[in-house]
Amino acid sequence: MKDKEQNFRGGCRSCSCTEYAFIESSNKCEECKCSVTQHDLVKNGEEMLVYRNAEAGANFVIYFAAANFGVWILMVGALVYMKQTGMATNNSVMGDRGIGDLSYWCGAAACGFVMQFMAVGFFTAKTPERKAITGVYFFLLAIYFLTYILFITRATPTWIGNKGSITDPLRYIEWLL
């Protein structure tokens, strides 16, 4: 990663840290707390290539999670369309979930709360790996959050399963992705 002077810094000479992680408030590495001068200055492109490959891999992971989120949106859109147009009325019920509604409210609140931290972590991440993991968690929590909101509003159909139990197809789509 780059230091304050925009020079690429590699591994640390005094510990096992593999890459310099920049902190705006000091010249120390965020990972190992060593001075910036302990990290090798990268003059050739070899370590820059490693950094760029890590960044490209992180971007792929984020795009993959975003694509999964897009597929989930399309599948849920189909369920909402089925409910709104009456296509799902053959075997559809409006089941009373009882205390389940309270658990959906609590789950949605918790997911919304944690999503805020994941968004902050994504935009303030110093390394590509941290950016990737917070991005994936953000999209995963967005799926859970929106699923709970759709359960609360009963925007998708609820069917009676083959053994007489109430089945939510949205739950299976949530588990699928």
Side-chain angles (χ1 to χ4, degrees), residues 6 54 173:
Q6 300 301 311
I173 293 172

Side-chain angles (χ1 to χ4, degrees), residues 23-98:
I23 303 176
E24 291 185 25
S25 60
S26 73
N27 276 340
K28 296 193 182 274
C29 175
E30 185 178 17
E31 297 292 326
C32 65
K33 307 297 184 229
C34 293
S35 160
V36 68
T37 56
Q38 294 295 324
H39 290 266
D40 295 326
L41 184 62
V42 178
K43 299 241 186 215
N44 61 5
E46 187 176 311
E47 286 193 35
M48 282 179 25
L49 183 63
V50 169
Y51 177 76
R52 287 188 185 143
N53 285 343
E55 197 170 47
N59 288 339
F60 172 76
V61 169
I62 293 169
Y63 292 140
F64 185 76
N68 275 343
F69 185 70
V71 168
W72 181 84
I73 291 287
L74 289 174
M75 295 172 88
V76 168
L79 285 176
V80 170
Y81 178 77
M82 287 173 65
K83 173 85 181 246
Q84 298 303 320
T85 59
M87 290 173 59
T89 57
N90 289 349
N91 202 8
S92 184
V93 295
M94 193 61 128
D96 180 22
R97 293 190 177 98

Side-chain angles (χ1 to χ4, degrees), residues 3-169:
D3 60 9
K4 283 186 180 180
E5 289 80 31
Q6 300 301 311
N7 296 320
F8 275 96
R9 294 284 178 169
C12 185
R13 289 188 296 270
S14 59
C15 68
S16 61
C17 182
T18 58
E19 181 184 15
Y20 176 72
F22 176 65
I23 303 176
E24 291 185 25
S25 60
S26 73
N27 276 340
K28 296 193 182 274
C29 175
E30 185 178 17
E31 297 292 326
C32 65
K33 307 297 184 229
C34 293
S35 160
V36 68
T37 56
Q38 294 295 324
H39 290 266
D40 295 326
L41 184 62
V42 178
K43 299 241 186 215
N44 61 5
E46 187 176 311
E47 286 193 35
M48 282 179 25
L49 183 63
V50 169
Y51 177 76
R52 287 188 185 143
N53 285 343
E55 197 170 47
N59 288 339
F60 172 76
V61 169
I62 293 169
Y63 292 140
F64 185 76
N68 275 343
F69 185 70
V71 168
W72 181 84
I73 291 287
L74 289 174
M75 295 172 88
V76 168
L79 285 176
V80 170
Y81 178 77
M82 287 173 65
K83 173 85 181 246
Q84 298 303 320
T85 59
M87 290 173 59
T89 57
N90 289 349
N91 202 8
S92 184
V93 295
M94 193 61 128
D96 180 22
R97 293 190 177 98
I99 196 151
D101 280 340
L102 177 63
S103 67
Y104 291 138
W105 276 108
C106 293
C111 286
F113 181 72
V114 176
M115 277 174 58
Q116 295 174 12
F117 289 105
M118 290 299 117
V120 169
F122 179 79
F123 290 114
T124 61
K126 305 289 188 221
T127 61
E129 294 85 5
R130 287 184 183 177
K131 189 170 219 162
I133 197 72
T134 55
V136 167
Y137 281 145
F138 179 82
F139 282 117
L140 184 66
L141 287 167
I143 287 175
Y144 291 142
F145 176 76
L146 293 173
T147 298
Y148 295 148
I149 295 298
L150 289 169
F151 278 145
I152 292 166
T153 60
R154 288 176 173 56
T156 58
T158 302
W159 295 322
I160 296 176
N162 59 355
K163 296 189 179 182
S165 61
I166 294 176
T167 304
D168 287 310

